Amino acid sequence: MSRVATFNEADKAEVAKNRLQQAGINAAIVDESKLEKYFYMSKPLASQKVYVEDKDLRRARDFLEDADRQDHILNGEVRCVQCGSVRVEYPQFPRKFITTTLVELFCFLGIIDKTFFCKDCHHTWPVKVTLRPKIDRLNWPVPHDGMVRQEKG
């Protein structure tokens, strides 16, 4: 099975799965929200994954993109901000080792920030982007000159 879409919300994943099944493409949802909520002490993000059989991957992706043009069913889909992959994980650390618990403790203490992680290009990015005032050469805020993006987890 190959992942064809990733969502934060279960209802959006369900819509994508149902549309694929109506088109004759066998699809299933894997819900990792309980794992993230309890084991990683995180708000579940990128936890609703829609899978199709490997042979149907390209056809399923094309179908979803066509359906999205008409009905916006991919609104809220989580994709890599760098390469566009749907193989996104949150938080960024592996789920197979006991060291994950230690890393989670560091996150809880604020030593490490949780980020999204692309399994294809290995890019990480924060959950949200905040704004900070523009600064001058001396690191003083520039009054009345707007805000700029500041990435923070």
Side-chain angles (χ1 to χ4, degrees), residues 101-116:
T101 306
L102 181 61
V103 173
E104 181 58 42
L105 178 63
F106 290 150
C107 290
F108 181 74
L109 295 173
I111 297 169
I112 298 174
D113 289 330
K114 292 180 187 174
T115 60
F116 287 102

Side-chain angles (χ1 to χ4, degrees), residues 6-134:
T6 302
F7 296 92
N8 290 328
E9 296 91 16
D11 58 335
K12 294 184 180 200
E14 190 68 33
V15 168
K17 181 193 89 158
N18 290 341
R19 291 292 293 272
L20 287 167
Q21 288 180 335
Q22 290 169 359
I25 301 170
N26 187 23
I29 297 175
V30 174
D31 179 0
E32 296 179 351
S33 61
K34 289 180 180 66
L35 171 74
E36 290 178 10
K37 188 174 186 179
Y38 298 110
F39 189 65
Y40 295 116
M41 298 177 278
S42 298
K43 177 184 175 191
L45 297 174
S47 62
Q48 306 295 320
K49 297 165 169 82
V50 181
Y51 285 87
V52 297
E53 294 179 24
D54 296 336
K55 65 181 177 63
D56 293 329
L57 180 61
R58 184 74 259 154
R59 187 176 80 143
R61 192 64 212 174
D62 290 344
F63 174 81
L64 288 175
E65 288 173 2
D66 287 343
D68 184 58
R69 284 188 204 97
Q70 296 172 356
D71 301 328
H72 308 289
I73 66 170
L74 295 179
N75 188 20
E77 180 185 33
V78 179
R79 297 185 85 164
C80 176
V81 296
Q82 185 160 317
C83 73
S85 172
V86 297
R87 293 176 13 105
V88 173
E89 299 295 334
Y90 179 86
Q92 73 273 26
F93 23 91
R95 300 160 195 256
K96 298 178 183 173
F97 303 106
I98 192 68
T99 56
T100 301
T101 306
L102 181 61
V103 173
E104 181 58 42
L105 178 63
F106 290 150
C107 290
F108 181 74
L109 295 173
I111 297 169
I112 298 174
D113 289 330
K114 292 180 187 174
T115 60
F116 287 102
F117 172 74
C118 176
K119 291 178 90 175
D120 289 335
C121 73
H122 305 280
H123 181 67
T124 60
W125 66 98
V127 173
K128 56 186 165 185
V129 176
T130 58
L131 297 178
R132 63 172 172 76
K134 288 184 181 177

